Amino acid sequence: MDSIAFIGFGEASAAFAGCLSGNARFQAGGYDKKLNTDRASITDRFSKHGIQCFQSARLAVQNADIVISLVTADQATTAAHSANGLKKNCLFIDGNSCSTKTKLMNADIVTRAGGCYVDLAIMAPVRPDLKKVAMLVCGEHAADAHKFLSNLGLNSRVIDGDIGTAASIKMIRSIAIKGLEALVAECTIAGVRAGVDDQVFASLDKTFPGFGWADRSAYMLERMLNHGARRAAEMKEVAKTIQDLGMPNHMSCAAIAWHANLGATDFTTPSTNYRDLANQIIDKIKDP
């Protein structure tokens, strides 16, 4: 039986835990830093998934055969430092949305501690069905990670290239995905504020048929409102990636602000209607 340890237990880790459920080949534990500020909620989340909750990352990983690191991008290197307590040759799967340079730094930390580092890129939101999401793995130990992920029924693929290649693909894709979200948010909020959103979306639907602007904008606003802080941290890594390539990153830097601002909104009205979500945002902008 293999022992699995999660570092971070948010939406992505919970989705992975769902894939482990009922699989007698694995036993799992983990740690989430929010345990220090929201103990009841975090322990309840672990309990619901049948995962043992440890009081620190180092305790969680010390007996693990496989570690899955899924934290916010700005905490990925901190999570890698927990590798100081790893078993020798433990497989450390870094699924965080980080720049190539950050992944290389994390790999050095894990390797020095005796672990086997893998760069994992999760290419789409884990909900509603993680098993349909494309996952890219690379690095010396990618085949081992691919075997593990495939045994969970996940859509894993080994790609050629050194550590950081999978990260680069995800980061550069995010220029379009999270950049588009920021553009759509600005367009939607401005359209609702001006009272012309119907006409704007009707025009866009003619120019880009099949996109479904009204429904898509509602989905994008909801994601930014619920996950803006995490997504802003990811976009900072995107901006770093572009900067490391010696290229301008103006659009990505602007997207950071939109994700961060919406993520900081006191979001109280769950809705699938873009106008409801936009009006809530407008009220917060008018009365901060």
Side-chain angles (χ1 to χ4, degrees):
M1 179 181 290
D2 287 330
S3 176
I4 314 300
F6 292 98
I7 306 177
F9 205 71
E11 182 179 83
S13 288
F16 273 85
C19 297
L20 289 171
S21 180
N23 193 325
R25 296 180 55 188
F26 304 106
Q27 61 180 10
Y31 167 77
D32 191 294
K33 67 172 292 188
K34 290 183 180 178
L35 190 68
N36 301 324
T37 56
D38 192 10
R39 178 172 293 271
S41 175
I42 296 300
T43 55
D44 182 61
R45 183 183 302 166
F46 275 104
S47 178
K48 283 180 178 178
H49 287 86
I51 307 293
Q52 183 179 359
C53 181
F54 287 89
Q55 301 305 303
S56 71
R58 291 195 180 190
L59 287 174
V61 307
Q62 64 182 358
N63 294 311
D65 300 298
I66 301 170
V67 172
I68 304 174
S69 177
L70 293 166
V71 297
T72 55
D74 57 336
Q75 294 298 311
T77 299
T78 299
H81 279 293
S82 68
N84 289 329
L86 285 180
K87 289 168 58 176
K88 188 173 179 58
N89 296 323
C90 171
L91 191 65
F92 190 102
I93 302 175
D94 186 345
N96 299 303
S97 298
C98 300
S99 68
T100 299
K101 186 174 287 187
T102 300
K103 287 277 179 108
L104 288 169
M105 180 167 57
N106 294 350
D108 183 63
I109 293 167
V110 171
T111 302
R112 286 176 181 272
C116 300
Y117 183 91
V118 176
D119 175 12
L120 164 68
I122 303 170
M123 300 302 291
V126 298
R127 290 182 178 178
D129 188 358
L130 178 64
K131 292 188 176 182
K132 293 182 179 179
V133 175
M135 297 185 184
L136 308 179
V137 288
C138 67
E140 181 182 353
H141 305 284
D144 293 329
H146 170 66
K147 181 179 179 180
F148 164 67
L149 295 168
S150 296
N151 284 338
L152 296 183
L154 299 176
N155 182 19
S156 168
R157 179 164 65 93
V158 176
I159 61 170
D160 292 334
D162 297 329
I163 288 166
T165 303
S168 290
I169 295 170
K170 168 119 188 217
M171 291 291 98
I172 294 171
R173 178 181 183 272
S174 288
I175 300 170
I177 296 298
K178 293 181 178 64
L180 180 60
E181 288 174 343
L183 285 170
V184 170
E186 186 166 306
C187 176
T188 303
I189 295 164
V192 170
R193 178 66 171 145
V196 297
D197 47 292
D198 282 338
Q199 296 95 318
V200 169
F201 285 154
S203 175
L204 287 170
D205 281 330
K206 287 182 179 180
T207 306
F208 301 98
F211 188 80
W213 286 87
D215 289 341
R216 196 69 65 104
S217 66
Y219 172 76
M220 289 180 174
L221 285 175
E222 183 274 330
R223 295 295 295 176
M224 293 175 73
L225 286 163
N226 278 312
H227 304 286
R230 172 175 62 80
R231 295 163 92 79
E234 292 175 9
M235 283 307 291
K236 288 180 181 178
E237 292 293 313
V238 171
K240 288 180 187 176
T241 299
I242 303 168
Q243 185 177 36
D244 290 341
L245 292 170
M247 302 295 291
N249 57 8
H250 309 309
M251 292 295 292
S252 294
C253 288
I256 293 168
W258 262 118
H259 285 278
N261 289 343
L262 293 196
T265 300
D266 185 13
F267 179 50
T268 57
T269 308
S271 175
T272 57
N273 182 284
Y274 75 83
R275 194 174 286 125
D276 291 341
L277 298 173
N279 277 320
Q280 182 177 183
I281 295 165
I282 291 166
D283 287 341
K284 297 296 180 182
I285 293 171
K286 286 163 51 182
D287 185 22

